[in-house]
Amino acid sequence: PAPAEAGGKPLTFEMLIVQDAFERWILPYKRNLARIGVELDIRLIDTAQMQRRMDQYDFDMLVASFPQSLNPGNEQRDYWGSKAADIPGGRNLIGIKSPVVDALVEKIIAADSRAELITATRALDRVLLWGHYVIPNWYLGKSRVAYWKTLGRPDVTPIYGLPVVETWFMKKD
């Protein structure tokens, strides 16, 4: 039988987007959900509406990203911490309230070595993946950059991506 809410009503939910270009990735997902009896309504709204709805946690699903650095720290409390789940306009969009996640975030923050940081971060990643909080939409394994030929950049490229624009410089010639 098709998934249903309490009372037998068919399961339906709304996904908010601010760019119609996202439909390219979402429509196949919608089609696959329909095959199992779930109805997804895609709603295009402007950025002000999106910000208001995010600030008030007034959404079923939306397109979001959770940018990370190579040195995660106390910002992890904002993304995943239980206390952050109730702050209007907060970054814990998912609303995670988990003592396990909270403990792992604190281990990341208190790590005394790179090895401890990596171990705690990997553990947090596993717990977050296990919770099925997100559905990955797409991945681009390349960086696209347009720049002026008079600009130079450092010879050594970081492990991930391009060096930040602030490290670029004007060539002498």
Side-chain angles (χ1 to χ4, degrees):
E5 297 180 28
K9 181 180 168 189
L11 178 61
T12 64
F13 67 98
E14 178 181 71
M15 179 180 236
L16 302 179
I17 59 173
V18 292
Q19 298 175 28
D20 57 1
F22 286 123
E23 286 183 320
R24 176 172 127 189
W25 291 286
I26 299 168
L27 286 173
Y29 178 57
K30 178 179 177 158
R31 187 172 47 251
N32 288 336
L33 287 172
R35 293 173 64 190
I36 62 168
V38 176
E39 183 181 332
L40 170 61
D41 293 319
I42 301 169
R43 182 165 181 201
L44 177 64
I45 60 176
D46 64 43
T47 53
Q49 286 178 303
M50 178 66 90
Q51 189 61 57
R52 183 182 54 76
R53 302 263 312 253
M54 288 171 55
D55 288 349
Q56 298 171 356
Y57 305 104
D58 180 22
F59 56 86
D60 296 327
M61 187 177 208
L62 52 80
V63 175
S65 62
F66 304 93
Q68 299 291 323
S69 73
L70 293 178
N71 296 299
N74 62 353
E75 75 283 357
Q76 302 306 307
R77 284 184 187 132
D78 296 334
Y79 282 127
W80 325 115
S82 295
K83 290 179 184 174
D86 295 321
I87 298 172
R91 295 170 83 183
N92 185 347
L93 294 174
I94 298 168
I96 297 172
K97 291 183 179 181
S98 164
V100 173
V101 169
D102 293 340
L104 288 169
V105 166
E106 294 308 315
K107 284 195 172 293
I108 288 170
I109 295 167
D112 288 329
S113 67
R114 185 73 180 164
E116 268 185 54
L117 177 65
I118 290 169
T119 300
T121 303
R122 286 180 176 164
L124 176 61
D125 185 56
R126 282 190 204 105
V127 169
L128 293 173
L129 286 170
W130 178 83
H132 301 285
Y133 298 114
V134 299
I135 298 171
N137 285 0
W138 72 90
Y139 170 77
L140 181 61
K142 300 179 188 294
S143 297
R144 297 180 182 152
V145 177
Y147 65 97
W148 194 19
K149 65 182 177 181
T150 61
L151 293 176
R153 59 185 183 97
D155 293 332
V156 178
T157 300
I159 297 171
Y160 299 103
L162 296 165
V164 292
V165 174
E166 289 82 8
T167 66
W168 293 25
F169 51 87
M170 295 295 289
K171 293 179 183 175
K172 289 183 181 180
D173 52 329

